[in-house]
Amino acid sequence: MVFDTFTFIVFDTNNMFSFVFLCNQQRGYAFGQLPSNYIVQKTGAAKITFACSIFFASLLTILLPIAANISFRTCLAVRACIGLAESAAFPSAYNM
């Protein structure tokens, strides 16, 4: 069987767990909106910023299951970094 080599971790989830996990990405997103908008407007590199934003958000999303296997705090930190990476996408798309 293919799944014999993988270890699956099941988290005991409740409403507070879901709230903290989902809210952490929005914290990173809100924190990065103004700095990313400032960087895009001052440098004028909207296309490069947009590409980097999507690339790093995708890379961190791929790393999220690995972070979840390490610890819950690591998973929250990666989730906040995903929000921070995604925060540059809207200002750069608006300024293209």
Side-chain angles (χ1 to χ4, degrees), residues 2-86:
V2 176
F3 295 113
D4 289 340
T5 58
F6 295 105
T7 303
F8 294 102
I9 295 176
V10 178
F11 291 106
D12 182 26
T13 60
N14 54 22
N15 288 340
M16 184 54 95
F17 174 86
S18 300
F19 173 75
V20 170
F21 183 72
L22 296 174
C23 184
N24 218 26
Q25 182 176 2
Q26 297 303 319
R27 288 180 189 158
Y29 189 86
F31 182 72
Q33 278 286 304
L34 292 176
S36 62
N37 189 22
Y38 180 78
I39 289 170
V40 168
Q41 286 183 351
K42 290 298 179 186
T43 61
K47 291 181 181 180
I48 294 171
T49 307
F50 184 76
C52 290
S53 171
I54 299 300
F55 173 74
F56 286 120
S58 301
L59 182 68
L60 289 168
T61 302
I62 292 170
L63 295 177
L64 189 62
I66 298 168
N69 284 329
I70 295 172
S71 73
F72 182 65
R73 289 184 184 203
T74 308
C75 185
L76 290 179
V78 170
R79 186 91 171 151
C81 290
I82 290 171
L84 192 64
E86 287 178 350

